Amino acid sequence: MCSADALACTAAGFMDELKNLSHQKLEALQEKYEYTSRIFPDSDSLLALAEVYLALGMVTRARRTVSDFIEKKGDTSRAKLILAKAHLICWDAAAAEKDLKKALSLDRRNKQALELLIHIYKNSGRTAEAFRVALSPGTEEPWRRIESAGKAEEPPCLKPDKKSRSRAGVFATDTMLNLYVSQGLYKDALGIVEVLCETDPDNPVYKSKREEIMALLSR
């Protein structure tokens, strides 16, 4: 499980450019978007306002504003991402995970939702799930997602195969697998090799590696 402090830091780490604004500028934005949302109650200004509320620490207001937006216009990927951030600020990883999954089901290109979900999985030790998300169809530059989610660094001499982005993702995962094995982190390695076997079920190397890791775990 993630610690309360880790979850709070995770949420803060994925805030957008609003985090760089002064309190005074944030309040000015709050006033602007509150005015705009009153004139155009069905516009995306409600979501912009919710993000400002989060940056100001007004979590309850942010949630209420997003709920108002969803009631008017239905679920959107951005709305679910904002709710996920609010949940993390309140240290509710389970609720955040649910909303992030919904955000990605609505828009696979939502980079913040993708990176935040991977980070949650990695932070709670769910390595295999983190890699499944990073390698799922439609994910842009999967090796970068994996690299940013993991703590171990990839050797600089190894480069992704530019001929195929999906293969590049597997390439990076294979590298991480070898790193985990070399560090004795066999449970994490097993999670990764399971993903590799699912990605390429006919590959004898992955099957052999899985048997090898399972043997090491059974010692």
Side-chain angles (χ1 to χ4, degrees):
M1 293 292 293
C2 299
S3 68
D5 289 341
L7 288 175
C9 289
T10 297
F14 282 88
M15 293 297 281
D16 55 21
E17 64 273 7
L18 292 177
K19 69 182 179 181
N20 297 318
L21 299 181
S22 66
H23 189 83
Q24 184 178 5
K25 289 183 178 180
L26 286 172
E27 287 183 331
L29 279 178
Q30 175 188 345
E31 183 177 350
K32 169 188 173 181
Y33 287 126
E34 284 177 342
Y35 174 77
T36 305
S37 61
R38 283 195 298 269
I39 298 177
F40 305 104
D42 296 334
S43 72
D44 286 355
S45 294
L46 279 174
L47 294 184
L49 177 59
E51 290 176 327
V52 172
Y53 282 150
L54 270 189
L56 286 167
M58 302 177 182
V59 181
T60 301
R61 280 196 186 184
R63 284 175 170 170
R64 190 183 303 122
T65 302
V66 174
S67 296
D68 289 343
F69 175 87
I70 291 175
E71 186 177 344
K72 290 178 171 64
K73 302 191 68 173
D75 283 334
T76 68
S77 185
R78 183 183 178 189
K80 286 298 182 180
L81 172 62
I82 296 170
L83 285 178
K85 290 178 180 179
H87 289 312
L88 282 178
I89 290 173
C90 295
W91 305 331
D92 190 344
E97 179 183 340
K98 181 178 179 180
D99 280 326
L100 288 169
K101 287 180 176 178
K102 181 63 176 179
L104 290 170
S105 72
L106 293 167
D107 182 4
R108 192 68 207 175
R109 298 168 299 176
N110 190 328
K111 293 181 180 180
Q112 278 198 44
L114 179 67
E115 292 175 359
L116 187 51
L117 183 58
I118 293 173
H119 192 88
I120 289 173
Y121 284 153
K122 290 293 292 181
N123 203 39
S124 58
R126 296 154 69 184
T127 307
E129 290 177 82
F131 279 95
R132 283 193 179 93
V133 172
L135 291 172
S136 57
T139 301
E140 184 179 343
E141 297 182 328
W143 64 89
R144 294 185 185 275
R145 305 291 169 229
I146 296 167
E147 185 180 36
S148 63
K151 293 181 180 179
E153 292 185 0
E154 188 174 324
C157 59
L158 298 175
K159 301 295 182 181
D161 180 0
K162 295 181 180 180
K163 294 182 180 179
S164 168
R165 285 197 167 192
S166 60
R167 177 58 196 155
V170 174
F171 183 88
T173 310
D174 200 9
T175 302
M176 294 295 291
L177 169 64
N178 293 330
L179 285 171
Y180 278 134
V181 172
S182 68
Q183 293 168 6
L185 302 174
Y186 301 127
K187 287 185 178 180
D188 288 332
L190 180 61
I192 296 175
V193 80
E194 292 288 0
V195 175
L196 290 171
C197 287
E198 289 179 10
T199 305
D200 191 0
D202 297 325
N203 191 319
V205 176
Y206 295 152
K207 290 180 180 179
S208 175
K209 183 68 73 171
R210 178 171 57 185
E211 292 177 2
E212 176 187 336
I213 293 170
M214 291 178 70
L216 289 169
L217 283 170
S218 63
R219 287 180 180 176

